[in-house]
Amino acid sequence: MTGLTQDRRDAIPAIVLSSNAAGDARSKLLRVMKELLDTPGLGFYAEVWSYTVVELTPGGFFGGCNHVFLDPPAFDGLSDRDARNVFGHESFHSFDCVNGGPAGALDEGAAIWVVKTFFPQGLDPAETWAEATYGTKLYYRDIVGQPDYPLLVAQHPTQKLLDVYTALSTRDPSQLPWNSQERLTNCYQEWFEPLDRNVDFYAVWLPAVQQATDAMLADPLCRPL
């Protein structure tokens, strides 16, 4: 991506977008894609969209291998900034899945963190990769009532996935141990499992996360391998 002229970079979204979106919805997708691709470090999204079908269909926002689903009225109501965040998030799930990524909380945490770390407007210092990952695990335990929501490292990652996760790790103040199942699990159990996620996000959750993250950072066994 860095070797392309701006004209050629600008042409990529229309070339790689495979979608039933039309009219204003398609225009919004193309604007969002251009902004993501114009951001240094996010060029891998060009690959994602080359194998991902984007379907506007009722039922919310979600993504998996080779597919992203966007609810038409909900997507239409988003500002360009929010549409960028939603589309970038769901598209990352497709990248993660195709490239042998993890299931559950680490996948969700990475999809949250990849957008927040490259577009950090208003990002609280406690909103780290650990907060997004361990917080997802606790969200399902404490709010959804699903205590067995998985927390797994990638089992068969491609080099492309490892490169992206390594890049995320260099930007992560929490230094989440994303590439060791033992460390990922043990550090969750030691520092985050005692927390309650079903509390006010800003007034209670983020201060608790900051304290847990500081303790985790002081633990040498909570660094990535």
Side-chain angles (χ1 to χ4, degrees):
M1 289 293 295
T2 55
L4 296 178
T5 64
Q6 188 63 48
D7 286 348
R8 291 192 173 187
R9 189 181 294 113
D10 290 347
I12 290 174
I15 294 171
V16 300
L17 177 59
S18 176
S19 177
N20 65 339
D24 290 344
R26 186 175 185 86
S27 295
K28 179 182 284 189
L29 283 173
L30 293 173
R31 289 195 303 273
V32 163
M33 294 167 73
K34 180 181 182 303
E35 183 176 1
L36 288 163
L37 294 179
D38 279 346
T39 304
L42 296 183
F44 70 91
Y45 273 109
E47 175 200 327
V48 178
W49 296 319
S50 71
Y51 55 63
T52 299
V53 175
V54 182
E55 184 175 345
L56 268 65
T57 186
F61 303 136
F62 54 101
C65 280
N66 306 115
H67 227 118
V68 167
F69 299 92
L70 303 172
D71 183 271
F75 189 72
D76 181 61
L78 297 177
S79 67
D80 275 18
R81 176 178 169 178
D82 289 341
R84 176 201 70 193
N85 294 347
V86 166
F87 189 46
H89 178 111
E90 302 304 343
S91 296
F92 191 87
H93 287 315
S94 181
F95 172 81
D96 224 9
C97 183
V98 170
N99 285 283
L106 184 56
D107 173 32
E108 186 69 19
I112 293 169
W113 183 240
V114 72
V115 175
K116 285 192 172 182
T117 190
F118 285 95
F119 298 102
Q121 302 98 322
L123 186 65
D124 186 281
E127 292 181 275
T128 63
W129 196 357
E131 185 273 324
T133 296
Y134 292 149
T136 293
K137 172 77 171 170
L138 292 173
Y139 175 88
Y140 278 90
R141 185 194 70 183
D142 298 338
I143 297 177
V144 179
Q146 184 179 337
D148 58 347
Y149 191 77
L151 177 62
L152 301 173
V153 302
Q155 301 300 301
H156 304 288
T158 64
Q159 188 58 51
K160 291 177 181 178
L161 183 80
L162 293 176
D163 290 345
V164 171
Y165 271 58
T166 299
L168 291 181
S169 185
T170 63
R171 292 168 169 263
D172 173 30
S174 74
Q175 285 300 286
L176 177 79
W178 61 271
N179 60 353
S180 166
Q181 186 63 50
E182 180 180 10
R183 291 186 175 200
L184 186 71
T185 304
N186 289 346
C187 296
Y188 163 74
Q189 292 173 339
E190 178 72 20
W191 305 113
F192 282 80
E193 191 173 47
L195 303 182
D196 183 2
R197 182 61 181 81
N198 193 17
V199 293
D200 182 273
F201 183 81
Y202 291 101
V204 181
W205 168 247
L206 289 184
V209 165
Q210 186 66 70
Q211 186 174 11
T213 299
D214 290 344
M216 191 174 75
L217 285 168
D219 184 343
L221 296 181
C222 287
R223 304 282 71 70
L225 293 177

